[in-house]
């Protein structure tokens, strides 16, 4: 309950996560049938990067700050440009003030008339902000409940047979990797046709290896890991990289993910930045 994403909004991990999110939503939009998105740790949906929290860390400067004014790359995957358009539209809507859309705002902007978004947020103040943001949007529902518990209560979705479950926990608890692995397994049991995307921090390798092995040992298959590291993950006190575990990824998403991370690397880091896309367990 102490974690506030306002301090970290728009950083390199957000950029990676949100560009991949746009690519996943695009994959769902390729078919006409409606889809549903469950965002288990939604936050407030919209972040003021000129505010006290974001300015105190300045993390956004090495994330969205490096891409807003970067020249367009014609070879870049289209989803990067689409994500930037969403960000710029939010800034324009706030008369040029530097606001950054979180995952709920990004997803909501991409929904079609019959698609839906369900957001879970346990922090009371953040929950109120989220409700205000979507008070006029009937396609978005807000639940003030634990995101992990919501996986059992809200899956499978009633509105659609297709969809995405996005898990982006704060990693405040020591057993967060264990809880995340358990949640992925439960989500797949309840929503077998859904795509599951789970974010995780990379500080040093032991926890991420244990996380991947726990899923393998549980018999999980079709697991794709996307990782971007700014520096060798040797210091457990620093956020050295960002990971996304995609269970049941869309067809040929490995190539899309590799193109995304390869394009983002020069923008988000220095010479030591590396991207890696690999199958933890193939289909």
């Amino acid at each position: 309950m102490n974690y506030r994403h306002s301090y970290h909004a728009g950083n390199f991990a957000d950029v990676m996560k949100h560009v991949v999110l746009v690519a996943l939503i695009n994959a769902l939009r390729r078919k006409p049938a409606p889809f549903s998105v469950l965002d288990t740790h939604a936050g407030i949906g919209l972040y003021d990067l000129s505010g006290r929290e974001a300015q105190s860390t300045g993390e956004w400067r090495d994330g969205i700050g490096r891409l807003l004014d970067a020249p367009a790359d014609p070879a870049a995957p289209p989803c990067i440009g689409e994500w930037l358009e969403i960000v710029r539209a939010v800034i324009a809507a706030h008369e040029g003030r530097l606001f950054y859309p979180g995952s709920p705002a990004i997803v909501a902007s991409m929904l079609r008339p019959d698609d839906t978004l369900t957001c879970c947020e346990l922090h009371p103040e953040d929950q109120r902000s989220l409700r205000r943001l979507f008070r006029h949007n009937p396609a978005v529902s807000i639940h003030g409940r634990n995101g992990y518990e919501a996986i059992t209560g809200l899956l499978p979705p009633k509105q659609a047979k297709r969809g995405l479950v996005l898990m982006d926990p704060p990693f405040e608890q020591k057993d967060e990797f264990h809880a995340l692995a358990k949640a992925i397994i439960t989500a797949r049991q309840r929503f077998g046709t859904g795509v599951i995307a789970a974010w995780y921090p990379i500080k040093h390798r032991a926890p991420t290896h244990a996380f991947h092995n726990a899923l393998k040992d549980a018999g999980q298959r079709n697991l794709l890991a996307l990782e971007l590291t700014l520096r060798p993950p040797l210091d457990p006190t620093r956020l050295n990289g960002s990971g996304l575990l995609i269970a049941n990824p869309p067809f040929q998403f490995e190539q899309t993910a590799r193109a995304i991370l390869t394009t983002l690397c020069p923008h988000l880091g220095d010479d030591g930045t590396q991207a890696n896309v690999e199958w933890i367990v193939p289909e």
Side-chain angles (χ1 to χ4, degrees):
M1 293 293 289
N2 294 323
Y3 177 85
R4 307 303 295 277
H5 192 65
S6 300
Y7 290 90
H8 314 289
N11 69 1
F12 81 96
D14 258 6
V15 170
M16 171 198 169
K17 175 177 58 187
H18 291 151
V19 173
V20 173
L21 176 61
V22 169
L24 289 171
I25 298 297
N26 278 341
L28 289 170
R29 284 165 35 131
R30 290 192 190 108
K31 294 182 179 180
F35 62 82
S36 178
V37 178
L38 172 61
D39 191 336
T40 62
H41 298 76
I44 65 175
L46 200 61
Y47 300 90
D48 183 359
L49 299 185
S50 64
R52 177 181 58 83
E53 294 94 342
Q55 288 295 318
S56 69
T57 64
E59 291 183 16
W60 63 270
R61 292 186 176 89
D62 289 327
I64 181 60
R66 292 191 176 190
L67 283 135
L68 267 180
D69 298 321
D73 180 357
C79 56
I80 295 178
E82 293 168 25
W83 162 75
L84 279 169
E85 286 179 10
I86 293 171
V87 175
R88 288 170 178 147
V90 167
I91 294 172
H94 288 82
E95 299 179 341
R97 289 183 62 191
L98 198 56
F99 275 77
Y100 182 80
S103 53
I106 291 171
V107 173
S109 73
M110 299 181 71
L111 296 178
R112 303 167 303 181
D114 293 328
D115 303 327
T116 59
L117 167 63
T118 301
C119 299
C120 296
E121 178 50 54
L122 196 57
H123 196 291
E125 186 178 341
D126 289 359
Q127 183 192 140
R128 287 191 291 270
S129 297
L130 202 59
R131 290 186 186 279
R132 286 195 298 270
L133 180 63
F134 294 118
R135 63 188 179 275
H136 300 305
N137 191 334
V140 182
S141 59
I142 312 298
H143 293 253
R145 64 193 301 181
N146 181 286
Y148 289 143
E149 294 175 359
I151 289 169
T152 301
L154 298 175
L155 293 179
K158 297 179 181 179
Q159 303 95 332
K161 296 181 179 179
R162 303 187 309 123
L164 168 69
V165 180
L166 176 64
M167 304 181 195
D168 183 16
F171 278 86
E172 285 185 303
Q173 307 298 324
K174 291 183 178 180
D175 66 343
E176 196 82 71
F177 272 111
H178 173 75
L180 184 57
K182 183 179 177 181
I184 292 169
I185 294 168
T186 301
R188 299 189 81 186
Q189 290 170 342
R190 299 189 63 84
F191 189 26
T193 60
V195 179
I196 315 296
W199 181 84
Y200 58 92
I202 302 173
K203 295 184 177 180
H204 61 119
R205 279 297 175 197
T208 58
H209 285 161
F211 171 55
H212 294 165
N213 288 335
L215 292 168
K216 287 194 288 187
D217 293 344
Q220 296 292 299
R221 302 192 63 81
N222 203 9
L223 302 175
L224 185 66
L226 287 55
E227 296 187 345
L228 189 151
T229 53
L230 301 182
R231 61 191 72 87
L234 302 174
D235 184 352
T237 67
R238 300 183 69 184
L239 181 62
N240 297 305
S242 173
L244 275 168
L245 192 288
I246 314 291
N248 193 27
F251 180 63
Q252 294 185 336
F253 197 74
E254 176 186 4
Q255 293 93 319
T256 301
R258 186 168 285 112
I260 290 171
L261 297 195
T262 300
T263 303
L264 290 179
C265 264
H267 294 286
L268 297 181
D270 301 315
D271 293 340
T273 305
Q274 293 186 346
N276 187 49
V277 177
E278 66 173 332
W279 289 99
I280 302 303
V281 185
E283 185 176 9

